[in-house]
């Protein structure tokens, strides 16, 4: 074995990108939902308004996931 | 869930479907000129994917709103996981398909997602949701 090449990785680096495209929005959606639960627990009468606002937050966050996961069509 | 919220979601779903249909038409025309039938198919599939996956969020919040709080979050988060898994499977299957022109499909997905986001934001800003609900 070559001493300069102690460890070797094989595979497609793009897979790491797809993982990141899922992890980032996953954390984002988790934050949106957790804050909504907290808000509804504090003020249950605002639930309807908070749920609609939460939907908008999830829609914006998941757009990143959809765009990131569709990149195999242009990068590979 | 109150009537005004149901109206908001049905309006968002209708407007989103119309916008994505328009993007499919324009993208399909461009795809046809660039890559003939494969380009047209790619634009239609890309727009269709975006329509299904963008609408699922609104539908899950709409339907989940009729359940208890636990049911609501179960439906919304469960729907999100199912949607992402479905999207990954779709991409994995279509990536190697011979009838797909990648850049056209990607362009239609991005245009549809961003366009429907803009529509959602405008609809929510213009909506009149009662601050205090009876539920």
């Amino acid at each position: 074995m070559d001493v300069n090449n102690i460890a070797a990785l094989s595979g497609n680096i793009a897979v790491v990108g797809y993982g990141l495209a899922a992890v980032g929005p996953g954390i984002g959606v988790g934050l949106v939902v957790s804050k909504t639960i907290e808000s509804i627990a504090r003020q249950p009468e605002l639930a309807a308004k908070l749920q609609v606002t939460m939907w908008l937050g999830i829609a914006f966050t998941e757009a990143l996931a959809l765009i990131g996961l569709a990149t195999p069509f242009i990068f590979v | 869930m109150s009537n005004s919220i149901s109206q908001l979601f049905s309006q968002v779903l209708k407007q989103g479907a119309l916008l994505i249909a328009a993007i499919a038409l324009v993208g399909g025309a461009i795809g046809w000129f660039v890559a003939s039938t494969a380009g047209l198919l790619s634009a239609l599939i890309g727009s269709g994917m975006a329509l299904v996956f963008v609408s699922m969020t609104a539908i899950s919040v709409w339907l989940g709103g009729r359940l208890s709080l636990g049911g609501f979050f179960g439906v919304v988060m469960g729907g999100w996981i199912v949607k992402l898994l479905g999207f990954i499977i779709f991409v994995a299957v279509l990536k190697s398909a011979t009838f797909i022109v990648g850049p056209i499909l990607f362009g239609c997905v991005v245009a549809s997602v961003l366009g429907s986001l803009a529509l959602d934001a405008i609809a929510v800003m213009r909506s009149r949701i009662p601050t205090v609900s009876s539920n």
Side-chain angles (χ1 to χ4, degrees), chain A residues 21-38:
Chain A
V23 166
I27 293 171
V29 169
L31 282 174
V32 170
V33 171
S34 76
K35 288 294 174 184
T36 307
I37 293 173
E38 198 177 306

Side-chain angles (χ1 to χ4, degrees), chain A residues 40 44-56, chain B residues 1-14 57-67 72 76 120 123-124 126-135:
Chain A
I40 292 175
E45 69 275 13
L46 281 177
K49 206 162 192 171
L50 290 169
Q51 283 169 355
V52 171
T53 313
M54 183 198 79
W55 160 63
L56 200 58
Chain B
M1 192 164 266
S2 71
N3 206 23
S4 56
I5 296 177
S6 293
Q7 278 179 351
L8 170 70
F9 281 114
S10 65
Q11 179 199 342
V12 160
L13 288 171
K14 280 179 203 160
T57 312
I59 292 171
S60 66
V61 175
W62 188 10
L63 295 180
R66 298 170 189 188
L67 305 173
F72 171 74
V76 172
D120 295 350
V124 170
R126 287 185 179 167
S127 66
R128 296 170 67 84
I129 300 160
T131 302
V132 178
S133 68
S134 56
N135 298 333

